[in-house]
Amino acid sequence: LFIFGIDGLGGEHSGEIVVSSNGERIVLPLLVRVLEKTPKLSVEIDVPESFRDISPNEEILFGYQIFNVGNLRNFDVVIYYYVLDANGNKLFEEHETAAIDTRASFIKKIKVPNLEGNYTIVVSGEYNNKEIASDSAEFSVLQKILRHCLARL
């Protein structure tokens, strides 16, 4: 028997079911497993093609969706946004809180570094100070002349 319980009451609980009828008594062992409600998320980032190669100091536009695939409903998630350079150094960090039920979609703009190079944008969701989902996408910062040449290929 599985029961979704209240936070903090999870675990296995044992006992007996006693059935009495016509002078007979039957004792049945019982084991109940109470599953704690916990969030399980999936994050998916989508960077439009036109924003995968951008110029220095422009903004990157991207969308992302958070899917709740767990058994907890209507909870707050702290969403972190990072921009990492090719060495994994954080060049940008921001966060906000959003309420999640079954699914939520967002569009975000972030100003990109003014240096040419390859970068990674990361979106991470946290619940109770624990990362529970993340996704990433790569983009490049190129001078306009280089972008123009690459577009012709």
Side-chain angles (χ1 to χ4, degrees), residues 16-109:
E16 297 176 337
I17 295 178
V18 179
V19 179
S20 296
S21 178
N22 295 332
E24 287 190 47
R25 183 172 186 244
I26 300 172
V27 178
L28 301 170
L30 175 68
L31 178 64
V32 176
R33 182 175 295 154
V34 178
L35 303 175
E36 289 191 45
K37 291 186 174 185
T38 57
K40 293 181 184 168
L41 299 178
S42 175
V43 176
E44 292 181 9
I45 295 178
D46 178 37
V47 178
E49 187 71 37
S50 60
F51 286 92
R52 293 188 187 157
D53 294 317
I54 56 179
S55 298
N57 290 317
E58 286 186 347
E59 289 184 322
I60 183 170
L61 175 79
F62 62 96
Y64 66 95
Q65 291 189 22
I66 298 180
F67 300 93
N68 179 0
V69 294
N71 55 24
L72 185 64
R73 296 287 183 249
N74 268 340
F75 59 95
D76 287 342
V77 174
V78 180
I79 302 166
Y80 287 89
Y81 310 97
Y82 305 106
V83 173
L84 308 175
D85 66 13
N87 296 319
N89 299 310
K90 284 184 192 174
L91 305 177
F92 174 87
E93 179 178 343
E94 184 178 286
H95 71 277
E96 60 189 344
T97 301
I100 305 296
D101 186 31
T102 57
R103 178 177 89 159
S105 299
F106 303 92
I107 295 176
K108 185 77 175 167
K109 279 185 181 180

